[in-house]
Every structure is written in C-alpha cells, then in structure tokens.
Amino acid sequence: MTANAKGMFVDTTLCTGCKACQVACKQWNELPMEDEAAVREHRAFLATSYDNTGHLSSTNWRHVKFIEQFSEDRTDARWLMMSDSCKHCEQAGCLEVCPTGALYRTQFGSVDIHQDVCIGCRYCVGACPFGVIDYNGRTGRVNKCILCQDRMETGDGTACAKSCPTSSLTYGRVEDLKAMAAARVRQLHAQGKTDAYVYGWDLGNSGVITQGPNKGQVVKDMEVVGGLNVFYLLMDQPSVYGLPSAPQLPQRNMTPSAGVALISAAVLGVTGLAAFRRRRMEPAMRGASPPQAPQAVS
Amino acid sequence: MPTYVIEPHWANWMLSLEMFVAGLAAGIFFFIALANTTGRKEDREVGAILGFFPAPLMLIAAILLTVDLGEPTRFLNLIFTNPAAAERPGPFFLNPSSPMNYGTYVILVFGALTVIPFLDALRHTGRLPFGHGIVERLAHDPVGMFICAVFALATGSYSGVLLNVTNQPVWSDTYIQGGLYVVFSALGGFAAAGIAADRMRARETAGAVRTGLMGITLLAGVLVAVFVANLVALGVAQPLIGTTTAFVAPAFWIGAVGLAILYPLVVTTTGIRLQLARVNVSSLAVVGTLALLGVFAFRWSILHSALAAVAH
Amino acid sequence: MANSDWIIFMGSNMAECHPVGFKWPMKAKARGATLIHVDPRFTRTSAMCDLYVPIRAGTDIVFLGGLINYIIENKKYFLEYMINYTNAATLINANFKDTEDNDGFFSGYNAQTRTYDNSTWQYQRKPAPARKPEAPAGPPGQSLKGANIAELIANRIPGQPLEDRTLNSPNTVLSILTRHYARYTPEMVERITGTPKELFLKVAQIITENSGRDKTGVFTYAVGWTQHTTGVQLIRTAGLIQLLLGNIGRPGGGIKALRGHAQVQGATDISTLYNAHPGYLNTPSARRNHDTLRDYILTETEPTSFWSNRPAYFISQMKAWFGDAATADNDYGYDWLPKITGDHSHLPNFVEMSEGKIKGMILTGQNPATSINSTFQRGAMRKLEWLVVLDLYETESAAFWKKIAGSTPEDVKTEVFFMPSAHIAEKDGSMTQTSRMIQWHDKAADPPGQARSDLYFWYALGKRLKAKYASSTNKRDLAIKNMTLDYDPTPAEVAEWKHKDEPSAFKILREINGYDVKTGNVLNSFASLTADGNTAAGAWIYTGVLQLVSGQTVNRGRMLPGKNDGWVSPNWGWAWPANRKQLYNRASADPDGDPWSERKKFTYWDATAKTWKNDSGDGIDFAPTKAPGTAANPTGTGIAFHSGRDPFLLKTDGKGWLFAPAGTVDGPLPTHYEPWESPVKNALYKQDRNPIAKIWDVKGNKYNEFGGVQFPHVITTYRLTEHHLSGAMTRWLPWLAELMPDLFVEIPPELAEEKGIKNGDYVTVTTERGATEARALVTRRLRPFKIDGKTVHQIGMPWHWGYMGIATGDVTNNITSLVADPNVTIHEAKAFTADIRKGRAR
Ligand SMILES: Nc1nc2c(c(=O)[nH]1)N[C@H]1C(S)=C(S)[C@@H](COP(=O)(O)OP(=O)(O)OC[C@H]3O[C@@H](n4cnc5c(=O)[nH]c(N)nc54)[C@H](O)[C@@H]3O)O[C@H]1N2
Ligand SMILES: Nc1nc2c(c(=O)[nH]1)N[C@H]1C(S)=C(S)[C@@H](COP(=O)(O)OP(=O)(O)OC[C@H]3O[C@@H](n4cnc5c(=O)[nH]c(N)nc54)[C@H](O)[C@@H]3O)O[C@H]1N2
Ligand code: SF4
Ligand code: SF4
Ligand code: SF4
Ligand code: SF4
Ligand code: SF4
Ligand SMILES: [Mo]
C-alpha cells in the first residue's frame, strides 16, 4: 500500500440517505444529469425505495443505496442506506486491464483516469469487480469517482465527505481511517449491534447479524482485492448492499484462459493437418460425373 | 442480485460483428496457411482465392472499431505511451496484466500479415503487376505460414481470453472461452472454405474441409459441453439455459450449438445427403453458410449473456 | 441536542428536513442517548433511531397526554423542579370546568361565536395593591402627553397568585391536570393512536428514567405537530411533559422547534406576520382597545413580566420607523399606523381574494398556486386585476394563468408582472436560524441578467411612493410620508458589484438593532432602550447584534469561530435575546442556585461574587445579580414581581405554565380532538373536533364527511430531503430533479393489494376538493392501524411537485382544504381523509 494512502471510511450506520454527497460530487466535478429526457418524460421514477438513480455511472460517481428490510408484521424493521463509489482498490481490476495507461495509481494511492489517454475501449468497465467504472457516451471515455484528485492536490479532501452532515463519509489517511473503523466496530458491538463489520480490510472483528432476513448469520471483517482505500462498515451481508462477497481480479483467468486457448490451437493445428491428409469426400462428388445443376445457394 | 454488471452499450451488436469479422479473418487465414503448406494444388487454388478475404475483413473490423470508439488517433495510445500517462516507462506501451495490450500487438501483426494472402490472391488471378516471385514464396513458405497461423489463432482466441479476463457473469465464470473462441474462429474459417470449395467445385478441397469441420466441430462440442457444464455447476448458467432471457438462449442453442456444431458434425460424419425443395441442404455451401451464421450467433449470445444474467 | 440523554422526534422528520442539524442528534446517539421517532411513517429519521413508534396522524395529544398520565400516576415528575418552577401548585378559579366534565368543552364556551371567554380559567389571587389616582389621557394624538408610563403600569399590578404547595386542593393546577389526563391510559392510547401499548410504555419508561437531576431529554418537532387544527395545544402538551420532568432551561433539555424556510425564524422576528410588529409586539387592532398609544400600551403591557418593558420597545420602534417625525407631541406617529380588523393571514386573505375583495398582490418568495387547496388558491388568483411575482423562476404561481395550470388564458384578466429576483448568494443580508441565531452572509456574485434583490424592489417602490405622497397632508398618507427610508449604500459596499444602487442591508440591520438618537451610536443591549424617544430600534430582540466596541461597530452576526469556544460557541453568530442560547437557563440551577447535578451544570449562582455565572459562556437569561433567595415583591413592576426562584421571565408569575390562563384561545389545557376530517369518532367524548377550529365554508372548499366511508383513509403530506417545499428551488435544478423525479404516494402493501395497485403504478388520490395523480410507492414503511378494533390505512404524499420546472408532477395540495388552528391559523395538511384508486386522474 502506498505509504500515506488517502481514502474514505464509509460508516453506513451513520448514513441518513440525504444524498448530499451525491450532489456535492456532481457539483464539484461538474457532472450533468444522467438523463434529462427521462425525468421530463416521467420515465425516471424507479419505485425502488428512495433511489431514483439506480446505479453508479459515468455521470453518477456516487450513488446512495436504500435497502428496506421489513418483516411482514414490521416487528423486524430496518432501512439500510449506503453511499457507494469507487473503492480505489489496492489491486484494481480496472487499472490492471487498462491497455493505455489511462487508469493510473496516484501519489495518494487512489486510482485516477487520464481522460486524454483513455480510448474508450471499455475494458475496465467489465473488469471492475464492483461495477463502478462506466462508459460515457458524451465523451467516448470512461468515468468514475477519482477521489477528487484535484482537491487532494490542494489538501482539501473529497467533496462528498466534506458535504456529509453526519460524518458517514470520512476522508483521511487510510491507516487512520482503519483505526477509526476498528474503534467504531468495537463501539457498536459494545452497544449490542454485533452486525457491524468492515468490508475492505480485515481488522479482526466478527459478529452476528441481529436483524433482517440474514439474522443469526456470522459476519467477519473482510479484506477484499488486497484492501479497499474506500471501505465500508456494513450491518449485513455484502450482497444485501449489492457488493460482491468475494470480489476477484479479472487476471485470475488470464493464464488458464490462455492455456486452454493454446491447447485448443494445438488441437486445431493437428486437426487441420489431418484434414488435408485423410479427406472425407463429398458424397455428391464421389462419382466421376460433374454435379448436376442446381446448387444455387449463396 | 449482482448490481455490478456492465451497461448494455458495452455489449452492443457492433462488438459482436467486430469479433465475428476479425475471428473469421483469422479462421480463413488459418485455413490458407494449412492449404498453402500441406495442401494439394486444388487446395492452394482455393486458398489463393480465400486470400482475398482476411485483409478486407480486418479492415472492416478496424472501421467498426473506429466507429464504435471514435477518434482513431487515440488508438495510438495502445501502442505508444501517451505523455500524459507519465507513470509508465518507455515509448512503447505494454501493460503486462492486460490481455488487450497483448491482443493489440497480435492483431496489429496479424493485420499486417493478411497482406500476404491478399497479394497472393491478386497474383493468382493475374492482377498483381509486380513481385510475383516473392509473394508466391512468402505465401507458401512453411515456416512463414506457420508463424502466420500462430498469429491467426492468437487473434482468433484473443477476444475469448479478453472476455475471460473480466468480472462479468458468464464471461469470467469459466476460463475456457479463449479455447472456445479460437475453435469457433477456425470453424468459421473452414465454413468459409467449404463455401469456396463448393462454389469452385474443388472436390478434393471439399473433402479436406469436411474432415476438418468434423474435427473442429467435435472439439467445439466438447468445449461447449465443458463450458455449459461448468456454468451449471457454478449455478450461473441461467442466461444460457433459461427462457427468461429472450434471445440469448435461443441464439446460443439454435445458432452456436445447432447450426455451427451439430449440423456440420452430423452432415460431415454421416455423409447423408439432404434435399430440401431443390436445394441440397447438406452441400458444403449450405452447411458453411449456416455454420457462419452459427458462429455469429455464438459471439452474439456470449456477449449478451452477461447482460442476460442481470435481466432475470 | 448533543447533550440530551433521550430525543423524541415527533411531528418532525429531522433527518430528512433538517439533515445538516441532524448531526447533533447523531452525536447524542454516539454518546449513548436513546433516539425515538414517533411518526405515522417509517422515515429516514426512523432508520437512524433506536426506537420507531408508529402513530395515526392527528392523535399526538393522546400519546403525549398518556405520557402525562403515566408521569403523574407513577409520580415520575421532578417534584422539586415542578413545584418551584411551574404553576403546578397555583390555585385556579373554582368555577373552572374541564372538558372531561363538560362533553369536550372547557368552561366559557360560546356556541354562537364559536369562541371561549377565559375568565373562569384565571388564577385565584390575593387582593391587588391599592390603586393610585391617574391623570386623564392627553388629547387625541397626544394621549401619552405628560403621563408617567411606569406609574401607569405599576398601577395595574394584580394581586399575587394563590398557591397550595401541599398540592392537596382540588383547585391546584396539578389536581386539575391529574383529573384531565386520568383517562389517557396506555389502553386508551393504543385505542385512539394505534400505537401498540407496549411501545408506548417503553417510551414512557425511557423518558422518565432518563430525566431528573442528572439527565435531560428533548422533544423535537416541526410541522408534523403544527399543521393540525389542534397544533398549538399539541405542542403545549410536550411543554407540559417537559415542565413535569424538569427538562426546560437545562442543557440537553427543552422542546426544539425546527423551523422551516431557512429564514422563517427571521421572518417571524422581523415579521411577515400580519398580527405582529417586529419583535413580537402586537399589531394595533381595531378590535381591541388600541385607539390611542396610551390605550395600546396599557392594553398590551403585562405589568408583572419582562414584557413590562414593552413601552420602551414599542416607542423605540416608532422612532426607528419615523425618525425625527416621531415625537412625544404626536404619540410618536402611532396614529399613522394602520390597524388590523381581523385575521389577515394567508388563508382568509385568499378567501377574500376569491370573493373579489382583493385587487392586486405582490408575491415575494411564495408559491401559493401549489399550496393548501391549490385549486382554490389558483382560482382566487384569477380574480386579481394585477399580480407582481418576485421569484427566481417562473413558478406555478407566475404561470397560474396558463393552460398548463388548468386555466383558460383568454379568460384570465389578471395582468402579471414577473420580476426576476436575486438569489440569496447574490445579496448581502442576515438569516436567523432555528436557534434564534442571526448569521450574516455576504453577497458572493452579481445576479444574472435583470435580476435584482428584493430589497432593491421594495426600496425603490418605497421611494416612489414617498415621492408621490411628499406633499400630501392626508392623515392616511402620513405613515408613508414620514417613514425613514435612507439605506443608500456606501460606495465601498457596492464597489465590486454591477448595480451601484442596491440598498445597504447593513444599514437596515443597524436600524433594526437600534441606536442612540442623539449620538447615532449603535446600542449594545435592549436594556438601554427607553420609552422617551431617545432611542430607536426596529426590533428590540435584535438589539446587540451590532455592538459598539471601542468606538467600532462590530457585526456579531458575522461568525467568529473562536477556537476553544466551548460547546455553546458564543462567538458563532449571535442569538437573540442578548446572545442567550439556552432560554430560561436559571432553571438549570436548583431553587438555591446550585447546579442540579455536576453533569448538567450550566447557569448557577456564585454566592461569593453575588452573581449568576455560566462557565460555558452562554448569556444569563435572568436578572444577573438577583439572588436565589430574593423574595417576590407584591408591588414590584416587571420581574421584580417574581422571586429569585422564578426562572420564566416572560410569564406574569415567572413560572412555567402547565395550565395556561391566557395565551391560547382554545383552552387552558391540551385535550384531544380528532382532525377536522377523520374516519373515526372521538373516543373520549361527544365533541369530535376542535369546537373553535377555523373553517371556511366556501365554494371549492368542501370538507369530507366526518367519519364517512367515501374517504376512508387517513392521509398526511410531507417533505423529502431532495426537494424544497413547492419545489421551486429544487425541481428546476438538474441534480435534484433527477433524485426525486416524480410525485408519489406511499402506501402499505396491505392496502395496495386491496386496491390492486402495484408498485410504480399510476394512482389517483381524491377528496371533496379534487384529485391528485401520483405514482405508487408500495412499502412496508407504512402500515395499517387498528383503531378501536377497526383497520385504518394511513397513506402519505410528499407535496413538492407542480407543472413548471424540469421535474414536473401533479400538485398534492389539490386535495387539501382550508381549515386551521384557531390560535395561529395554520392549516391542517398533516391529517385529513382521502380515497385512492388505481389509474390516472386525467
Ligand atoms: N429537504 C427539505 N427540508 C426542509 C423543507 C423542505 O421542503 N425540504 N421544508 C422546510 C420547512 S418550510 C419546514 S416547515 C420544515 C418541516 O419539517 P418537518 O415537519 O420535519 O417536515 P414534514 O415532512 O412536513 O413532516 C414531518 C413528519 O411529520 C409526520 N407526521 C404527519 N402527521 C403527523 C402527526 O399527526 N403526528 C406525528 N407525530 N407526525 C406526523 C410526517 O409523516 C413527516 O414524517 O422543513 C424544512 N426543511
Ligand atoms: N400539503 C402541504 N402543504 C404545505 C405544507 C405541508 O407540509 N403540506 N407545508 C407548508 C409550509 S410549512 C410552508 S413553509 C409552505 C411553503 O410554501 P411556499 O412558501 O409557497 O413555497 P416555496 O416553494 O418555499 O416558495 C418560495 C418561493 O420563493 C422563491 N425564492 C427563493 N429565494 C428567493 C429570494 O431571495 N427572493 C424571492 N423573491 N424569491 C425567492 C422560490 O423560488 C419559491 O418560488 O407550504 C405549506 N404548504
Ligand atoms: S472499484 Fe472498480 S473502478 Fe474502482 S479502483 Fe476498484 S476496480 Fe477500479
Ligand atoms: S476505457 Fe479507457 S480507462 Fe478503460 S480500459 Fe479502456 S483506455 Fe483504459
Ligand atoms: S471522492 Fe470526489 S469524485 Fe469521488 S465520489 Fe466523492 S466527490 Fe465524487
Ligand atoms: S451525505 Fe452522508 S449521510 Fe448523506 S447520503 Fe451521503 S453518506 Fe449518507
Ligand atoms: S438546506 Fe440549508 S438550512 Fe436546510 S439543512 Fe441544508 S444547509 Fe441547513
Ligand atoms: Mo414551513
């Protein structure tokens, strides 16, 4: 990990779902509406709790998720919220596949995009295990949260964290944030909220879910893809928040895939050679006489 | 439900077409290399005529890619390190963990190599004003053609490896798409050759094509079986076996499995002759055409399977 | 709030409507406080709370009354606080009759006029001090000439209230309270509110166990409480609980009224209310004895509370308004002031407009075309001859005449003028927030195009009017003729900006703050205001926001974020009065002046220094050197009438009022009435609804049948974080428009199933007033209620949409009605009835 890496700790227990972060991101980064026509034509209402933007995209670098967990009689009732963005992975799938160097690791340990270099090949889009990075049809390049690179350079921290009224988002040194997260998990456990655990780093906590459909299941701090510089405190299984429970680098398939291709190619070569040796004649052509007229097929 | 699946524009039809034409160019070149080095005279003639195709197909692929991505000058960033990406050393860009980077170089070399059969085709049809000797030698040199075949097969497998090295449902759930793609690429090449042989009434070559098709479809069948079994075992085969996914499953089963594998396999192994109306539907021209359709369906359905995975 | 041990959000959705301030409750939670949300819906606030308590809209008085009953029954009150600081022991007129004994009416009800006479609600008192003879009033226009105002007021001091500190007399306030709430049992609470009994008891336990010497808690409300025909009494119920538990005037205690529009506090202080002058001085009224200045002062001044200073505040205000023209010889211009003749608030104004009685309207920063019974309001606007709209956008109100608004443009005769307005960031000024804190903001940019500040509009208009009346001698023109209007900016103020004739907001603040008429120096405290014309101050409560410090005028509204400023942060803005952040903070010490506990130490008496102290830096809301042992002076004016143990300066007896002999027009005690429209009858007594609620029986404002079956569902309306009010400031903004693009109605799945409605469907909600179409948001966050054995569905709609802007939608207020609380004329948009069906309205 880059010494002094900067990142964010997302404490979902403090998120009120106000979306200030989402708007602050758009304002600072001058991002347009995702689909104005859809709003004007009344196609934008999603009827999924209070979420009408649905996902991260090239124009929504931050997205607040709303998860309603209510038992039929409402005795078990919980409304989880989580503000999501690029995780600035220690091992970043996007960065690993980028064929141009457009994606790069910054001096702050985050993953930024050189817009001048990106060719819009979208390979990174498929490579990110979290579905973060997205193709921008307006520019022909990809976009995602860049951890406010320009603000970090001036020492200002991220716009979204700055705007978060409840400190659900905290910007800082990843090492400090980890200590803060560990303390917070311990505090919550002490209050009986044993659901709390960290997604991104293994800080050694484990607990049991107390509410919702996964009640009783064990949860443990988890380090994923080498650690996330933007990491989360969750209260339920990652899948509940739409996060992969075991994200992986795309490169896990590279050698085996190339290997299978190589073997297949070898078999093809042999097959080809054999074909030119021992031919299977066309039945119609077996006779000496030339074929009769109609093969009018094209 | 995974929320981390890419958006539709990624897997649009253009990409399927791009992959199809490039794969076809590779397959045809593979056939030419075989015909030119180990074939008989008739094979070489068919090979020479097929030589007209790879270069224009690659050109089409390049055009499609340009239309798809826009700003062709930006492609240079794939090869030369853009000054803005100062983190990377050296004038030539290579990200060792990116299949696309290798692929770029492979395709570049392959694209250049397709000029050889093209010139050879011109030569063969008497349209090449100069350099007959050298072109003929290049096009029939065993070592040269072996290298060409390697690049052709690498190109054929490239997009499969590419899809494998992602984090998308179906695409990256197995790691045998590199194999599948190269086999389907060769399948396309042999299918095209079959059409050519049939049209040229080259019965010897047709025989070789039939044998080749038999082997290749057999191999493809095995790989597809492993592929599907693997997905089923992982519980993620829904987009390919489910009915909820509109076109993907039909395209895969009817197109990729039916037209591209089973039909050629049956026709070539049993040698049966089928007459439909007045058309001999077991002729290589028909089998080849249907197989090409199937190859396209294969690319299309695999590409869209990731999307289909979220659709249900 | 960060210091509270429990917080009940009730009638407020604080996390959504006050998201920035919500960080303080979150701090309290981190420190171990218990957070409770009592609301008909499970909201983003509920999501953050330890306990969510469902309640049927419009029944809060029963829930809170139940808490009072629990506190009294289990003797959980903070006895020492209650007996010393509230009127619990005070004896009430023996003829007082309670609703419990009177079928839902208090004594004094007049069915003809639908009003109460409160004479039976009064204290029993000792005889008043002997009266001295008074000089007769001066001639008209000089009514105060030669009078000694202080003597006149002293001559009106009543006798001291009688008490029974044993609390045994049936006429003590506590006895009356005990009887009044005896029927508000947990069972009754469940029966009326639909709140499960166990949940109610849990709340009762939490708040009683966490109040007292060492702990405090807070109620937090906003318009979920106010917007009812019983709104004022509802809030009083919480006040009663806090007085019983000893939670007023102490850190972490109180009742937090979360204000609305960013400047709504300032708008009531410097007022946009028809019935109050700036600084909460009643507007002269033709219906009261306000004929002359002398009458006004003697009618309005309470001789035994801090309000005994009213003459100084009122006359200083006249001086600020009329400058040199206001003199002792003309009663400071009192006679030039117009008098009100009735309720001129928004709703009755629009009723008059609909009757063609109002010819023109200048609409500044309001969007009535989408407000309460909006069809009615748009109809009323069509009767106007002219309309001026000052706004940032072409709002629904500016476009009310268009087809899109349901009008036929050819038939609308109204001439509409649209004046583009500068946005808040495009002008200087002050804002006063929820905590009475005045904060100054500097202009950041020039407004675009022709947009100008509202100040400029009104100033320019005022100047033109003055020019027109300059030579008039007509008495009714004198107010305008004599009005001071000299706010031209200094060159430095406008140096950077495009418009050089923007009036100086600072000069206006200076006039509001007040100054010495002779020296022109700003005044540092309202204590320097006099009733002799030597001081001028637009609003006494703001006196001190500007301070003269070593010859320099300092604007305390500018934030001086002092390091190590403590949690009270006295230098962060300036809170009126006199930068006191915690009102009545004398109550944070025990009767002897010692802190109730070390943990809750705040204002206390320093016996050696003989002065009250506050280590956190807050202002002392008490006479600074009045010792706790000081006895009440039966002939003392103002707070001298109170003892050193009476913290509530603004009350005539210095006590917190559990029982209100005056001030509320609909009764001295809060009592439950059903909302004006309700599917169920009042389970407590025959009288279903507030007998004196304000109603308007006019065309287009038909009420749904009470308890009827045609409109069986309870509906409430509310806000979302993503939008602001009518949406004029948010639906035009792309980033916010996409966050909440369409109007929706939240319904429980049980009801959806009954009606065949699927999530996301178009549905139509109807009342007698009309229909509103919305998308269905089917969610278990809403739930069916069991009321008196019968299932009642509660549904809810935000109300931010209209037909203009980027994100458009139907107007929720098409279905609301004009019906209001009798005290303050706030509408009842929080609880009424409606029907819902699948499909579109139009
Ligand atoms: N984002 C945002 N913030 C705002 C505003 C805005 O429009 N948008 N508006 C500002 C203004 S002007 C105001 S006045 C404030 C208002 O602030 P709030 O009063 O918090 O706002 P509302 O959403 O109208 O109503 C609050 C809650 O009252 C509940 N409620 C309804 N009826 C009852 C009832 O009978 N009893 C109880 N206990 N609860 C009930 C509703 O379900 C709702 O959750 O917000 C201010 N802040
Ligand atoms: N059903 C229902 N109805 C309600 C409520 C409810 O809860 N339910 N709540 C009620 C409450 S609490 C309120 S406060 C009212 C609010 O109702 P309104 O005050 O009518 O609504 P707003 O949208 O706040 O209108 C303010 C207007 O001022 C404009 N504006 C903003 N800044 C400036 C400025 O500097 N100068 C000028 N000239 N204009 C400016 C805005 O663009 C906007 O058009 O609605 C009430 N109506
Ligand atoms: S979350 Fe995705 S886009 Fe962000 S750094 Fe990781 S792999 Fe890249
Ligand atoms: S789209 Fe741009 S950033 Fe993504 S992999 Fe391609 S070149 Fe790199
Ligand atoms: S860090 Fe910056 S770019 Fe990333 S989500 Fe926050 S505001 Fe947007
Ligand atoms: S600003 Fe903070 S509280 Fe609001 S949605 Fe974002 S993370 Fe949650
Ligand atoms: S809109 Fe303004 S007043 Fe309201 S919460 Fe946000 S910052 Fe505070
Ligand atoms: Mo409001």
Side-chain angles (χ1 to χ4, degrees), chain C residues 770-787:
Chain C
T772 300
E773 136 185 327
R775 306 290 286 277
L777 192 60
V778 179
T779 167
R780 290 221 174 93
R781 291 187 294 99
L782 274 85
R783 66 195 70 205
F785 284 90
K786 264 266 174 315
I787 306 299

Side-chain angles (χ1 to χ4, degrees), chain A residues 96-99 101 114 117-120 122-123 125-127 242 248 251 253 257 278-280 282 284-285 297, chain B residues 6 43 68-69 74 77 84 93 95 97-98 101 162 164-165 167-168 172 203-204 207 210-211 268-269 273:
Chain A
E96 301 269 298
V97 302
C98 177
H114 293 302
V117 181
C118 173
I119 61 169
R122 294 163 270 176
Y123 196 12
V125 173
Q248 283 177 293
Q251 277 71 21
N253 283 337
S257 182
R278 320 182 105 261
R279 301 171 190 239
R280 272 183 89 86
E282 175 122 19
M285 290 179 176
V297 175
Chain B
I6 44 142
D43 301 335
D68 189 8
L69 300 187
R74 268 198 274 156
N77 293 342
F93 189 83
N95 177 353
S97 61
S98 175
N101 237 216
L162 194 77
N164 264 175
V165 184
N167 261 313
Q168 299 296 310
S172 60
R203 54 182 287 272
E204 302 240 323
R210 278 182 181 273
T211 315
T268 52
T269 44
R273 205 192 135 103

